[in-house]
Amino acid sequence: MRGFLQLILIATALTSIAWAQAERVVLTQDDLLRMADTGLPVSLIFKVIESADEVPVLQPRDITDLASKGVPVEALEAVVARKGRAAPSEQAAAPTSANRRVNITATLDERRGLLGVLQKDSAAFAVYWGAAALNAEGSVLPIESCAKQPACWCVSATGEKTCAAENEPAWQQRFSCFQAADMAPGDTMTVFSLDAPQGTTELRFYPFYMVQEKGGDVRLASWDSAGSSAYVSVEPRGSESYTAEAGISLTVGRNAKTDLTLPVKRFDADGERPGISGRISLQTLTMSTTPLPQSCVVE
């Protein structure tokens, strides 16, 4: 009887899945929540995930939200793994095009004596992440496969915010992607996993944190590297198909001192020797390249 009820629950879950086209099953985040709410065993949820034609792209915030609402971590891992490999039907339907995958992972290092925004070693705080794909002319290109949250680079002492959403010029001239993620010392997370658009000559990844100025204003500030504000640069060298992976290390110390390092990096392209096809590096921000205003002034 129990097995019969489980089959009914699976059938109900599958009928609620949106159909992108005839005989094509698209699994959504809402479907994951419904299946978790019904109490289905993880093994059965796995089968639904594996049988779907398409599964959702889960950003870091999506994963934490779904986990907090009861979706088993094992099911979320299955969705991420399933998305990482195309199903047979997806492979057949996918157009032949160059792969330009870029993965950025960040670790917030632990350090004793944290003050200010951290208060204590275990306290989490918001780290803000911006990404910009640039073409040969230096213009910012749109990227579909990443989060696009509003960016607020200043909050005045009286609570007035200077913000921009993805459909506004002030956002579009700076970013292709933008998101916030809570991190605590010792945390490691994937902040970006995206496909660079055609025509990209450089991808820039900017980590930011909120800092309070003497006048009471709170604004976004860049992480430092060797005493200067910095960003991570991914530069393909004529490669049409590549995979770039960077591991960023963030450290917060006394008096809001911050450090950005790049301990892990890898750039692979078909048929190219390492180092020939492209590079990943830390670059210094200058007034001409900084994506944020230098002070809390409405533009």
Side-chain angles (χ1 to χ4, degrees):
M1 183 67 179
R2 179 179 176 84
F4 179 71
L5 290 176
Q6 289 176 343
L7 289 175
I8 292 177
L9 290 173
I10 292 177
T12 302
L14 287 174
T15 55
S16 67
I17 296 175
W19 290 78
Q21 59 187 38
E23 299 182 358
R24 182 171 175 81
V25 180
V26 179
L27 188 68
T28 67
Q29 293 187 32
D30 288 340
D31 297 321
L32 293 172
L33 288 170
R34 291 191 192 98
M35 288 189 289
D37 288 341
T38 62
L40 287 176
V42 175
S43 60
L44 295 180
I45 298 178
F46 279 171
K47 292 181 180 180
V48 176
I49 293 171
E50 289 298 323
S51 63
D53 292 293
E54 185 176 336
V55 296
V57 175
L58 298 181
Q59 299 293 337
R61 184 175 293 273
D62 298 327
I63 294 174
T64 55
D65 287 346
L66 290 171
S68 67
K69 293 175 182 177
V71 178
V73 173
E74 296 87 350
L76 296 173
E77 290 177 345
V79 171
V80 173
R82 169 71 169 72
K83 196 63 183 177
R85 66 183 193 278
S89 59
E90 290 178 308
Q91 291 177 352
T96 55
S97 60
N99 171 61
R100 305 180 185 90
R101 171 63 56 167
V102 180
N103 300 309
I104 304 294
T105 302
T107 299
L108 184 59
D109 287 341
E110 297 186 52
R111 176 177 290 188
R112 295 180 180 179
L114 303 184
L115 300 178
V117 292
L118 288 180
Q119 299 299 319
K120 57 181 180 179
D121 284 354
S122 61
F125 70 104
V127 180
Y128 302 85
W129 298 92
L134 306 180
N135 60 18
E137 289 73 40
S139 300
V140 177
L141 302 174
I143 299 177
E144 298 299 327
S145 54
C146 62
K148 298 172 179 61
Q149 298 173 357
C152 294
W153 31 78
C154 180
V155 181
S156 70
T158 57
E160 297 174 322
K161 294 183 178 181
T162 303
C163 302
E166 64 166 305
N167 57 349
E168 299 179 71
W171 193 100
Q172 294 174 351
Q173 70 184 8
R174 292 177 167 91
F175 304 117
S176 304
C177 322
F178 190 89
Q179 63 181 327
D182 289 338
M183 297 186 71
D187 284 354
T188 296
M189 63 187 302
T190 299
V191 290
F192 288 113
S193 182
L194 53 83
D195 297 308
Q198 186 173 9
T200 299
T201 58
E202 181 185 7
L203 286 109
R204 297 179 179 179
F205 298 95
Y206 307 96
F208 305 107
Y209 68 105
M210 282 290 185
V211 61
Q212 187 168 18
E213 298 180 327
K214 292 182 179 180
D217 294 338
V218 178
R219 67 179 180 87
L220 279 185
S222 301
W223 241 264
D224 296 333
S225 177
S228 300
S229 298
Y231 63 92
V232 177
S233 173
V234 178
E235 301 174 70
R237 294 177 176 172
S239 302
E240 282 300 313
S241 182
Y242 56 84
T243 300
E245 296 183 0
I248 304 171
S249 178
L250 307 173
T251 305
V252 182
R254 296 180 180 276
N255 301 320
K257 172 177 169 53
T258 64
D259 291 296
L260 170 65
T261 57
L262 188 60
V264 180
K265 57 183 178 179
R266 185 169 69 88
F267 196 110
D268 295 330
D270 296 337
E272 295 284 355
R273 290 181 289 119
I276 299 298
S277 54
R279 71 168 187 165
I280 303 172
S281 61
L282 281 179
Q283 299 291 327
T284 300
L285 278 170
T286 63
M287 291 296 291
S288 61
T289 62
T290 179
L292 295 176
Q294 298 301 296
S295 61
C296 289
V297 176
V298 178
E299 296 180 326

